[in-house]
Amino acid sequence: MLSLLEMSVTGGVLIAATVVLRAAAGARLPRQTFLTLWGVALARLLLPFSMPCPASVYRGLDALDVTVRRAGVAVNAGGAAPFVLPEQAVERVQGGGEAFLLVWGAAALSLAAFFLLSHLRGRLEWRTSLPAENSFIADWLAGHPLRRRVQVRFSDRIDTPLTYGVVRPVILLPKELAGEAGERLSFVLAHEMAHIRRWDALAKLLLCAGVCVHWFNPLVWVMLLLAGRDLEVACDQSVVRMHGPGARGEYARTLLDLESRRTRFSPLTSGFSKNALEERIG
């Protein structure tokens, strides 16, 4: 079993490598490449065990007869005699570990409560929304079936389209789109349906879990931001593939129009996110 610090350090190395690759070749590689790399880093952060690997750093240290960790004992390379730490020093280390555990737990619970409140606010908006009674939407859903039942509802409490739910997904649209029946609404539905098909709600839930556990690691916050952007761009690319290259200009104008109204941060929802709008338009 790996310790929390080991998980955070190794996960941080993977995040840093992905950030460097994204900065160097972000425009030349498919966005799914980075989403896969974020998934690998997230698995390293959340799974407390390691897979056997012949190129492991720890295997190399074992070959050199170096002991990396042993409670209360420091071992030199080359089989030198161990140096036993004084008992008082061991107690100080243990006491510091207990203090860190208390601080870590309090911060993790606070973040979990923040994300939970965000989710509950979304549930409240869903309960006060109205079912979509729009023949265009009904026809569009019939033409793009999904195994999971998808609800489309309208709400006067949101500024831009959002998607909630993993098992029973809901596309929540601003009330002003209730009278739409054309390409603009088709763009919105295609984008939100792409989030649902890709299980992005589950991906965001796992990203938030990674932040709650490793809140002390700044690279994890970087992953939350950049992975969220990549999820949005991947859905944008899906919309362009569906409607053809000729629709890129109109889709870009739809993004600009809807994003100009966004007024809040929603970590557990997917939609027309305002993050790096310039990158998405590009």
Side-chain angles (χ1 to χ4, degrees):
M1 297 287 287
L2 297 177
S3 69
L4 178 65
L5 185 58
E6 287 175 318
M7 293 163 61
S8 195
V9 170
T10 53
V13 170
L14 292 172
I15 294 172
T18 304
V19 170
V20 171
L21 179 62
R22 190 180 185 275
R28 297 189 295 273
L29 292 176
R31 198 55 53 139
Q32 186 58 44
T33 301
F34 304 110
L35 293 176
T36 301
L37 293 174
W38 294 130
V40 172
L42 189 58
R44 175 67 288 162
L45 291 168
L46 296 178
L47 299 178
F49 55 83
S50 59
M51 300 297 292
C53 176
S56 171
V57 174
Y58 298 107
R59 287 179 180 271
L61 293 175
D62 289 342
L64 295 175
D65 197 23
V66 176
T67 300
V68 180
R69 293 175 298 139
R70 186 176 299 173
V73 178
V75 180
N76 295 323
F83 171 71
V84 180
L85 296 176
E87 183 177 348
Q88 292 180 346
V90 174
E91 290 178 353
R92 285 197 296 270
V93 172
Q94 292 175 343
E98 292 175 357
F100 171 77
L101 185 61
L102 289 175
V103 173
W104 171 82
L109 288 175
S110 298
L111 281 171
F114 168 76
F115 291 133
L116 178 61
L117 288 175
S118 176
H119 173 71
L120 292 177
R121 182 174 64 176
R123 294 288 298 178
L124 179 61
E125 290 171 349
W126 174 79
R127 294 190 181 198
T128 58
S129 63
L130 298 174
E133 297 179 355
N134 184 314
S135 59
F136 179 87
I137 292 177
D139 293 339
W140 193 95
L141 291 176
H144 302 81
L146 195 66
R147 289 186 178 182
R148 288 172 288 165
R149 181 175 178 269
V150 179
Q151 294 186 60
V152 179
R153 302 175 69 91
F154 289 103
S155 173
D156 58 359
R157 303 182 62 172
I158 62 172
D159 307 303
T160 57
L162 300 172
T163 298
Y164 293 104
V166 177
V167 179
R168 293 190 292 264
V170 177
I171 298 175
L172 202 58
L173 303 177
K175 189 177 180 180
E176 65 184 61
L177 293 179
E180 292 270 350
E183 189 176 47
R184 186 164 177 261
L185 182 55
S186 179
F187 286 149
V188 172
L189 293 173
H191 182 99
E192 301 306 324
M193 187 64 78
H195 279 301
I196 294 172
R197 290 184 186 277
R198 298 167 56 86
W199 297 84
D200 285 352
L202 179 60
K204 288 202 169 187
L205 183 63
L206 293 175
L207 285 168
C208 289
V211 168
C212 289
V213 175
H214 299 276
W215 55 265
F216 54 89
N217 187 340
L219 287 171
V220 176
W221 292 92
V222 172
M223 180 180 67
L224 178 66
L225 173 65
L226 295 183
R229 292 183 182 182
D230 290 337
L231 289 173
E232 297 298 334
V233 173
C235 290
D236 293 336
Q237 293 173 342
S238 177
V239 174
V240 172
R241 284 194 299 269
M242 179 185 296
H243 289 82
R248 288 180 295 184
E250 187 60 34
Y251 182 61
R253 283 188 286 273
T254 300
L255 283 177
L256 288 170
D257 180 42
L258 292 175
E259 278 312 305
S260 65
R261 307 169 193 176
R262 181 175 290 276
T263 59
R264 71 176 191 183
F265 170 65
S266 302
L268 287 175
T269 61
S270 299
F272 279 72
S273 172
K274 194 173 184 177
N275 291 339
L277 181 59
E278 183 177 352
E279 179 182 2
R280 297 177 63 189
I281 296 297

